[in-house]
Amino acid sequence: MKLRHKQSGMSFLGMLTVAIMVGFFVMCGLKMGPSYFEYLTVKDVVTRVASEHNSDVDTIADIRRKLDNLFNTNQIYGLKPSEVDVFRKDGKTWIDANYEARIPLFGKIDAVIRFDDLELQAGAGDGS
């Protein structure tokens, strides 16, 4: 009678478990990727509008108009221009474009991505 001294390889159940886990993370990446790339575009647009702001000439309505035009041009659908807060505080103009993206994964399970670094001072030059 021979006994196995060394077991090599992975069982079918182990390979199936690893394949399911890898598939789940690939699916999540494919579904969440477009929202992340759209966030990068939103960040670029808001930073550009904030850096180009001239407080002597531009009003809050002008900032909203620029945001609306750039959102339309760059095909941003996850955030509406009306959801971006433009306000004055302590004599400075601020643009707050923080938002959340909710992505349905499967069934009743959703992934929520929070983009909360989009509050910029308009006309500051460096975007902060």
Side-chain angles (χ1 to χ4, degrees), residues 14-96:
M15 286 190 295
L16 186 63
T17 303
V18 169
I20 288 172
M21 287 176 21
V22 168
F24 174 76
F25 288 114
V26 166
M27 180 201 62
C28 288
L30 288 174
K31 287 195 172 207
M32 289 188 278
S35 293
Y36 184 74
F37 289 122
E38 185 174 68
Y39 153 74
L40 293 175
T41 305
V42 168
K43 186 174 183 176
D44 180 53
V45 165
V46 171
T47 304
R48 187 176 345 150
V49 169
S51 66
E52 292 175 355
H53 175 70
N54 183 355
S55 59
D56 297 334
V57 179
D58 295 336
T59 64
I60 289 178
D62 292 333
I63 293 173
R64 289 190 182 280
R65 196 172 308 111
K66 286 179 188 176
L67 287 171
D68 188 30
N69 289 339
L70 288 171
F71 278 23
N72 188 27
T73 302
N74 289 300
Q75 298 180 353
I76 296 172
Y77 303 115
L79 178 67
K80 296 178 181 133
S82 60
E83 295 172 346
V84 177
D85 291 333
V86 181
F87 58 94
R88 293 195 192 270
K89 180 178 171 186
D90 299 329
K92 298 175 183 173
T93 306
W94 291 86
I95 301 172
D96 183 4

Side-chain angles (χ1 to χ4, degrees), residues 106-120:
F106 53 89
K108 293 185 177 193
I109 298 175
D110 292 348
V112 177
I113 306 174
R114 204 174 78 220
F115 304 112
D116 59 358
D117 63 341
L118 295 173
E119 186 171 347
L120 303 172

